[in-house]
Each structure stands twice: as C-alpha cells, then as structure tokens.
Amino acid sequence: MGLTAAVVPAAGRGERLGPGAPKALRLIGGVPMLVHAVRALASARSIDLVVIAAPEDAVAEVTRLLADHGLVESGPGHAATLVVSGGDTRQDSVARALVALPYDVDVVLVHDAARPLVPTALVDAVSAAVRAGAAAVVPGLAVSDTVKSVDRDETVTATLDRSALRAIQTPQGFRREVLYEAHAVADPDAPATDDAGLVEALGRPVTVIPGHEEAFKVTRPFDLTVAEAILAKRRAAGVVS
Ligand code: C5P
C-alpha cells in the first residue's frame, strides 16, 4: 500500500471575511485557522504527509508558524508537513501542491484551510472510502434550505428538488492518478471551485459519503463566531489544546 497525502490550498485572500490577514491566518481561539486544519489532518491516522499551498509572499511565515506549533517534522501521533507556494486560483494552488508529492503517494486528500474544525474521523473516513476502491470521494450533507436558481435580475427561474441536492465539503479524496489526470486536462481560465468537479468533467464517478456539520467553511464573519463557539465547547470538554 502506498502513502496517503493531504493537500491544503491556503493561498486565498478571504475578502468576504473583511479586511485583515490572509484568511488562513485568521485566528480562532487564538490559533490561526490553518494551524487548526493542518493539525486535524496531520493527526488523522490515515495521513502520512500534509502539503500546504501558502500565499506566495507567506511561505516562510507559514513554515515558521507550523514549526512554532510543532507541526513541521513528524512526531508521535502526527504526520510531517511541507509548505509550497500557492497560485492565483484555488485550482492553481492545488496543482502546485500536487507537483510536490513524493512518488509513493497513491491516495490524495484535498482539504480547504477554510474548514479548520474538520473532525479527524471525517478525514479517516474519506481516506478509507478511497482505499476501499472509489476513484473520488466527497463528504456531503443534505440541504435544509429550499434552493432556487435565479437569473441576473434575481428573478427565480426554478425551484430545485432538495432531496437530490448535497452541500459538498472537504476533505475530498482521490486515487492519485485520477486527480493528476483531472488537473492535467483542467481549463486554467475556467477554474473549478472543487477538485471533484474536475474529476466529474473527466466522466469519472464521484462518491458521496456523510459529511459533518463541523467541517463547515469559514467564509463570512458569522462563520468565525460559530467556529469560536465550537472550539470553546471542545476546549471545555478537554478535546483540544
Ligand atoms: O475562496 P474559497 O473560500 O472558495 O477558497 C477555498 C480554499 O481555497 C481556501 O482554503 C483558500 O485559502 C484556497 N485558495 C487558494 N489559492 C487561491 C484562492 C483560494 O489556495 N488563489
């Protein structure tokens, strides 16, 4: 069996959160989001290596940050990490991290730094589903709101069948060769918002497994408030440092 690597695109500016540091470096419970996300991945039993795509001008800063949190070298119960320079789009950032993977990695998970509180059990569940034979695996949750499509004037054009919709999270897991092929043929001028979308474009099946509410994406200020509350609850229960 080969190795399993996790790739973390963390080079976004995060403008929807308002002005300030790059999104991945925003603090939750006094600790940068990226550190939470990397710690969750690195401490998952299934993960052997974590590769982070940082903003081009912040590679040294991110490397130092991970070192300060004991997350560069592998240690008891956690994998090693490596920081590379990200690109102009999420897709480009993932592609740059893929180039840095050792040859003996055969399963790759891609996880947004913007999902800092992902449970380690979800990381291992995605890895296990790929190891069990799926080419591509995504965690998904049923949608609770009614979802409508609209035109440019915000006039509703259709109400979608909610029972057939899933809100898709990360980590998304892939056989290495499938993800490489998907990125090799992807259109850089029409970047995808997730990696599974590129695999779908290849015509390959993508399997959904149950996601987790705490794997939500921090996008707007409200999400930071929710993340702080979840972390405070975990700390009170003695679950995290
Ligand atoms: O913008 P969005 O929230 O969809 O970003 C998802 C993830 O992609 C974030 O973790 C962000 O840091 C990352 N990203 C990146 N490189 C970019 C843009 C976004 O790594 N150029």
Side-chain angles (χ1 to χ4, degrees), residues 111-132:
H111 181 66
D112 290 333
R115 299 180 186 273
L117 301 183
V118 58
T120 294
L122 181 61
V123 178
D124 286 334
V126 171
S127 303
V130 180
R131 291 264 167 229

Side-chain angles (χ1 to χ4, degrees), residues 9-13 16 23-24 53 87-90 93 112-114 193 217-219:
R13 304 303 315 176
R16 285 167 293 181
K23 177 152 94 173
D88 287 341
T89 62
R90 181 189 183 283
S93 294
D112 290 333
T193 52
K217 183 158 71 172
V218 174
T219 306

